[in-house]
């Protein structure tokens, strides 16, 4: 139920909901967590910015560029 409600709020560009969706998905489910972190980070959410950096550092849910 929480994920459904976060999705509704995230669709309205709520950065906190986007960050929370990232937390729900984490680094599983095809990297969906990184996508939501990125959206929240673009809106200035500091925790999401940190988590996006962590995703890039570990290559989790992001494209690799060798």
């Amino acid at each position: 139920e929480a994920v459904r409600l976060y999705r509704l709020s995230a669709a309205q560009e709520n950065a906190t909901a986007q960050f929370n969706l990232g937390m729900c998905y984490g680094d599983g489910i095809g990297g969906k967590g990184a996508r939501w972190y990125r959206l929240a980070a673009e809106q200035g959410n500091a925790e999401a910015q940190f988590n996006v950096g962590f995703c890039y550092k570990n290559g989790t849910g992001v494209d690799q560029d060798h």
Side-chain angles (χ1 to χ4, degrees):
E1 180 67 10
V3 171
R4 184 183 74 78
L5 294 173
Y6 286 143
R7 282 185 188 163
L8 290 173
S9 189
Q12 296 177 23
E13 299 183 4
N14 180 300
T16 301
Q18 292 168 339
F19 172 76
N20 287 334
L21 270 176
M23 293 295 291
C24 288
Y25 287 122
D27 53 350
I29 312 176
K32 284 186 180 180
R35 174 180 176 261
W36 290 109
Y37 291 143
R38 192 174 312 114
L39 288 171
E42 289 171 358
Q43 294 185 66
N45 183 297
E47 291 174 299
Q49 292 169 348
F50 175 85
N51 286 5
V52 167
F54 187 82
C55 289
Y56 277 107
K57 178 184 178 290
N58 294 304
T60 305
V62 296
D63 293 332
Q64 291 186 345
D65 184 8
H66 298 278

